[in-house]
Amino acid sequence: MTSSAPAPEPPADDPGVESIGLDSDLGWAIRLVSGAFRRIATGSVAALPGGPRGYLVLMAVVSGPPRSQLAIAQQLALNKTVMTYLLDDLEAEGLLTRQPDPVDRRARRVLITEKGTRALDEARARLGMAEARLLGDLDPAEEQQLRQLLERVARTARLLEIDPAADCR
Amino acid sequence: MTSSAPAPEPPADDPGVESIGLDSDLGWAIRLVSGAFRRIATGSVAALPGGPRGYLVLMAVVSGPPRSQLAIAQQLALNKTVMTYLLDDLEAEGLLTRQPDPVDRRARRVLITEKGTRALDEARARLGMAEARLLGDLDPAEEQQLRQLLERVARTARLLEIDPAADCR
DNA sequence: TATTGTTATACTCTATAACTATA
DNA sequence: TATAGTTATAGAGTATAACAATA
């Protein structure tokens, strides 16, 4: 229904308003894309405890050496209290284990299990198909362009924010 | 310190994991960019009641003919109850007014005030500068590319969401 | 004294339902 | 009966603080 009335011309007696429109607003586009991706991704990883955040935790675990809960929380910019809840649920489902760190008995290393690996693989497959649907209008070169541009902006964002993990203490 | 070390290589002795990494994950990039933009935008429009959503409401009001609260809520994909709170705050600050619809006494038309126009102009200026910072690493052509790609994906997203069962399986 | 992880608590945002006044 | 708008309530999600165990 939104597409029916693009509001072609506001009266435009105000010179500053003539080019105003959410359709050309970067933040609006980001909001739409981000929201759509979030909904689609939520469906794709619904089988995982914790949903999208559970998926991020599993991804972080498999994409590096065994680390402490706090290290993973900081990598994902998640609060460490949230990490406790997420790991509780993921461990209860047998997708990962918490193993005492041999050199620091305060810390616990997070390891993925065989079942967790299978669950992550399936979630990644579903997510890949959902991404393909969302990017269906783009040809491969354009999709690659979008990924690269987003990654560069993400890097800039990381530099702009003084402490990206400020809320992970 | 986080930005200095992009985690150049995980050990990668597991063949199935070699290409796994959040750095190349589209959802992760969207999450980072979206989060950064949200934080930056929140600061830019902090002077407006309702913050980013108040900004969206004002933008919607000025970018079309006078409409009902419900019409604006649908355009912005906001809940109509949220719209009530937002308009309460925006009206209390004198940025817009609710005027009874002459042809439907149930409905109320939302109009921006002179003060609201000034506040919106200032917010747009701040937001433009914040956007420029976030996109500082991109040259003008690349920025244009990113905007166009995002808008196309946003259009696809809008089409996908017409079918609510498209999420999963 | 500082840090890892846990628990308890509070606050924000959002969604749902019920209510009114009109149509 | 259906719709525009309001109000009240409940639920996620998230942040803060206090705590125990260890460094």
Side-chain angles (χ1 to χ4, degrees):
Chain A
M1 56 176 68
T2 53
S3 58
S4 60
E9 237 78 17
D13 31 29
D14 183 334
V17 191
E18 62 195 4
S19 71
I20 285 187
L22 287 174
D23 288 341
S24 62
D25 189 294
L26 177 67
W28 183 245
I30 291 178
R31 179 188 167 96
L32 288 179
V33 171
S34 163
F37 190 89
R38 182 172 42 76
R39 280 185 289 275
I40 282 180
T42 298
S44 299
V45 302
L48 296 178
R53 289 196 305 277
Y55 167 80
L56 287 179
V57 170
L58 290 179
M59 283 292 290
V61 168
V62 301
S63 62
R67 280 152 296 163
S68 69
Q69 301 184 189
L70 193 58
I72 295 172
Q74 288 168 341
Q75 179 187 352
L76 297 176
L78 291 175
N79 194 283
K80 68 172 183 176
T81 64
V82 175
M83 184 60 57
T84 297
Y85 304 137
L86 285 175
L87 293 182
D88 283 349
D89 297 342
L90 289 165
E91 191 175 31
E93 287 287 324
L95 304 186
L96 52 78
T97 62
R98 287 189 262 210
Q99 182 177 290
D101 186 319
V103 305
D104 184 345
R105 293 200 306 188
R106 295 173 304 179
R108 311 167 79 173
R109 286 181 174 175
V110 182
L111 301 175
I112 197 166
T113 64
E114 184 64 33
K115 185 178 178 186
T117 303
R118 285 197 304 271
L120 178 58
D121 284 345
E122 174 160 353
R124 294 218 312 143
R126 286 177 181 272
L127 206 51
M129 291 188 294
E131 277 186 23
R133 278 207 308 276
L134 187 60
L135 304 179
D137 192 38
L138 274 49
D139 63 44
E142 290 171 328
E143 178 179 333
Q144 191 60 17
Q145 258 178 350
L146 178 60
R147 289 179 185 273
Q148 288 174 352
L149 289 172
L150 280 176
E151 282 173 29
R152 283 172 60 192
V153 175
R155 254 193 300 278
T156 305
R158 214 158 24 184
L159 295 180
L160 276 180
E161 317 219 342
I162 305 106
D163 184 1
D167 45 345
C168 302
R169 51 177 187 273
Chain B
M1 58 175 68
T2 56
S3 58
S4 60
E9 75 287 286
D13 34 25
D14 183 334
V17 193
E18 61 195 3
S19 70
I20 287 186
L22 289 174
D23 288 341
S24 62
D25 189 294
L26 178 66
W28 183 245
I30 291 177
R31 180 187 165 96
L32 288 180
V33 171
S34 164
F37 190 89
R38 181 172 41 79
R39 280 185 289 274
I40 282 179
T42 299
S44 299
V45 302
L48 296 178
R53 289 197 305 277
Y55 167 80
L56 287 179
V57 169
L58 291 179
M59 284 291 290
V61 168
V62 301
S63 62
R67 279 153 295 163
S68 69
Q69 301 183 187
L70 193 58
I72 296 172
Q74 287 169 343
Q75 178 186 352
L76 297 177
L78 291 176
N79 195 283
K80 69 173 182 177
T81 64
V82 175
M83 185 61 57
T84 298
Y85 303 137
L86 286 174
L87 293 182
D88 282 349
D89 297 341
L90 289 165
E91 191 174 30
E93 286 289 323
L95 305 185
L96 52 77
T97 62
R98 285 188 262 211
Q99 181 178 292
D101 186 317
V103 305
D104 184 344
R105 292 200 305 189
R106 294 173 305 178
R108 311 168 79 174
R109 286 180 173 176
V110 181
L111 301 175
I112 198 166
T113 64
E114 183 64 34
K115 185 179 177 186
T117 302
R118 285 197 306 270
L120 179 57
D121 284 345
E122 174 160 352
R124 294 219 312 142
R126 287 177 180 273
L127 206 50
M129 290 188 293
E131 276 187 23
R133 276 205 311 277
L134 187 60
L135 303 178
D137 191 39
L138 274 49
D139 64 44
E142 290 171 329
E143 177 180 333
Q144 190 61 18
Q145 255 177 353
L146 177 60
R147 289 180 186 271
Q148 288 174 350
L149 289 172
L150 279 177
E151 281 172 29
R152 283 172 59 192
V153 175
R155 254 192 302 277
T156 305
R158 216 161 19 188
L159 296 179
L160 278 180
E161 313 243 338
I162 292 175
D163 178 10
D167 296 313
C168 199
R169 178 176 350 190

